[in-house]
Amino acid sequence: MYRLTGSRRSYDWGSTTSMPEFLGGEPDGTPFAELWLGAHPTGPATVDTPTGTARLDEIIEADATTHLGHEVQAKFGRLPYLLKLLAPVRPLSMQVHPSPEMAKAGFHDEESRGVPLADPARSFKDEHHKPEMVYALSRFEGLVGFRTKTQVQNLLSRLNGPATAALDTLTSDDDSAPGLQNTLRQLLQLNTTDVEHVVAGCRELAATSSDPEERTAYGTVDELARFYPGDVGAVVSLLLNRIVLEPGQLVFLGDGTPHAYLSGFGLELMANSDNVLRLGLTSKHIDGDAMLEALDFTSSGYDVESAPKGAVTHVFAPPVPEYALSISQPEHMDVPHTLPGDGPRILICVDGTVHVMTDGEPQGLTLNRGESIFVPAADGPLTIKGSGTAAQAFVPE
């Protein structure tokens, strides 16, 4: 087992206090948005070895079979998932992730054209898709998935002026998929003056509507516009569902699902990729054509999952082959509990203290809140005991 030191990301939307408090450190006054616990080459975690500090991706590559196991090595050729701690204090970019086919084609196209990986105008950072899920460690808010066509139509129908053209495209098409696609195209054409007009209308409706869902939808537009004045992403939020996750709840976001995280603190588990196509709420590059191609306009809504009460271990298993997440709370402090999974695993203590053991390291390691480890496949079954809660990322069978 290797103790991990995560790779810090100090994006401007990050909280200055949530991450240090969780990790048991002192805030330094700068945003601490994400902590990457994985082997992505642009931000690998590090481990201490007898010869010094080493990158986790290099440790794995040096002996892939030992660290990944035969099956994971044969299927993926690398650690296929990335675990993060996520601490937004204000909205981050509205975005979507491409399918595997689109990611591979887009990456190789930009490579063939010589677009540097660090170029701000680059759309595809690697050739992999990025389905992800968020497990809330505090109250967590976001925008996830398209509303139904009827919901969008009702919201737009109470607005006038610049929003009228978008409403017309929606009501003129009986098929929800192209209807929402054309509506989004119309909204993305709004200029700054148009956006301000729609925002003003939403602000008024948020204050006067008797419908709680309408107040939330229109209020979200006003809220986002205060962070990103003139940004069309605030208006686009009318097409998306606003959700609240309480601690212990999880939402999965498949390829093509639009989303934006607004606030809170949680674990984010995803395929090992950094491909992000943005719709708005950002000063970064927006590739409109790629974003529209990546979006799945045939689906709407979202599903929030919770672990059953009293479960010692619950597995959140999304419909992807790269990862699953187990949440474990040992019943008895001194009785070892065996966790699922036997390949490459990353485990983090999210509350209290746990003691972890493997066949390869029977004496084990003690982890306090915020501390994490990488467990190679060759170490065999992982057991824990203690009085805390552990979250484990692993590759499902």
Side-chain angles (χ1 to χ4, degrees):
M1 293 186 286
Y2 299 93
R3 287 187 179 271
L4 295 178
T5 298
S7 177
R8 174 175 175 168
R9 289 292 183 268
S10 298
Y11 307 130
D12 59 5
W13 47 260
S15 170
T16 60
T17 58
S18 296
M19 196 78 73
E21 288 174 0
F22 181 80
L23 298 174
E26 291 295 326
D28 60 11
T30 60
F32 195 157
E34 296 180 348
L35 188 70
W36 291 22
L37 300 170
H40 194 280
T42 65
T46 58
V47 300
D48 291 328
T49 73
T51 58
T53 301
R55 294 164 47 127
L56 181 59
D57 57 336
E58 294 176 347
I59 289 285
I60 292 173
E61 289 171 5
D63 189 352
T65 301
T66 293
H67 292 99
L68 299 179
H70 291 286
E71 292 184 8
V72 173
Q73 168 63 7
K75 187 171 184 178
F76 299 104
R78 62 184 195 139
L79 187 67
Y81 59 79
L82 173 60
L83 183 66
K84 299 179 182 179
L85 286 169
L86 181 68
V89 73
R90 65 178 181 84
L92 54 151
S93 60
M94 188 178 292
Q95 59 192 252
V96 65
H97 305 306
S99 67
E101 297 77 16
M102 184 179 178
K104 188 172 184 177
F107 176 77
H108 288 291
D109 173 65
E110 290 186 317
E111 287 287 281
S112 68
R113 292 188 286 113
V115 183
L117 273 176
D119 190 328
R122 176 116 184 188
S123 296
F124 297 91
K125 301 297 181 66
D126 53 60
E127 57 181 357
H128 305 285
H129 72 156
K130 190 185 174 187
E132 63 188 45
M133 56 190 189
V134 174
Y135 177 80
L137 296 173
S138 75
R139 179 183 171 91
F140 196 96
E141 297 194 51
L143 301 171
V144 174
F146 286 114
R147 299 181 190 271
T148 65
K149 180 180 176 180
T150 299
Q151 290 173 320
V152 173
Q153 183 174 332
N154 290 338
L155 291 171
L156 292 178
S157 66
R158 302 200 61 191
L159 297 166
N160 53 32
T164 303
L167 178 62
D168 290 344
T169 64
L170 189 62
T171 57
S172 65
D173 199 324
D174 292 333
D175 188 328
S176 62
L180 283 176
Q181 185 177 37
N182 292 333
T183 298
L184 177 56
R185 288 183 184 274
Q186 285 290 333
L187 292 179
L188 292 174
Q189 294 176 19
L190 299 180
N191 59 36
T192 301
T193 301
D194 293 336
V195 169
E196 292 173 349
H197 182 95
V198 176
V199 169
C202 289
R203 184 179 302 122
E204 181 178 351
L205 288 167
T208 59
S209 175
S210 59
D211 186 309
E213 293 186 6
E214 286 187 359
R215 289 199 302 271
T216 296
Y218 295 131
T220 297
V221 175
D222 184 33
E223 174 187 343
L224 296 177
R226 295 178 189 276
F227 285 106
Y228 299 95
D231 192 307
V232 72
V235 178
V236 172
S237 72
L238 289 169
L239 306 186
L240 308 184
N241 303 284
R242 179 153 184 166
I243 71 166
V244 175
L245 300 178
E246 298 298 340
Q249 293 186 318
L250 175 145
V251 66
F252 170 71
L253 310 170
D255 299 333
T257 301
H259 58 279
Y261 301 137
L262 305 181
S263 64
F265 188 75
L267 279 175
E268 188 179 23
L269 180 57
M270 64 193 66
N272 192 9
S273 171
D274 196 25
N275 280 325
V276 176
L277 299 170
R278 297 174 178 85
L279 290 79
L281 307 182
T282 183
S283 59
K284 295 182 179 179
H285 173 60
I286 294 180
D287 185 338
D289 291 337
M291 175 268 295
L292 287 168
E293 180 184 347
L295 284 166
D296 180 3
F297 291 96
T298 66
S299 65
S300 62
Y302 59 93
D303 293 315
V304 172
E305 299 181 59
S306 302
K309 290 184 178 179
V312 178
T313 289
H314 177 70
V315 175
F316 295 97
V320 294
E322 289 90 351
Y323 60 80
L325 179 72
S326 68
I327 304 295
S328 300
Q329 296 176 296
E331 282 186 299
H332 305 288
M333 185 178 300
D334 297 323
V335 178
H337 172 70
T338 302
L339 300 187
D342 58 2
R345 289 144 288 171
I346 291 178
L347 182 139
I348 180 170
C349 179
V350 296
D351 187 49
T353 300
V354 296
H355 190 75
V356 295
M357 299 154 287
T358 67
D359 291 344
E361 196 161 352
Q363 296 302 312
L365 297 171
T366 297
L367 303 179
N368 298 311
R369 187 180 72 175
E371 296 181 331
S372 58
I373 56 172
F374 173 74
V375 184
D379 276 12
L382 179 64
T383 61
I384 66 169
K385 61 182 181 179
S387 58
T389 302
Q392 178 197 223
F394 64 99
V395 182
E397 293 182 1

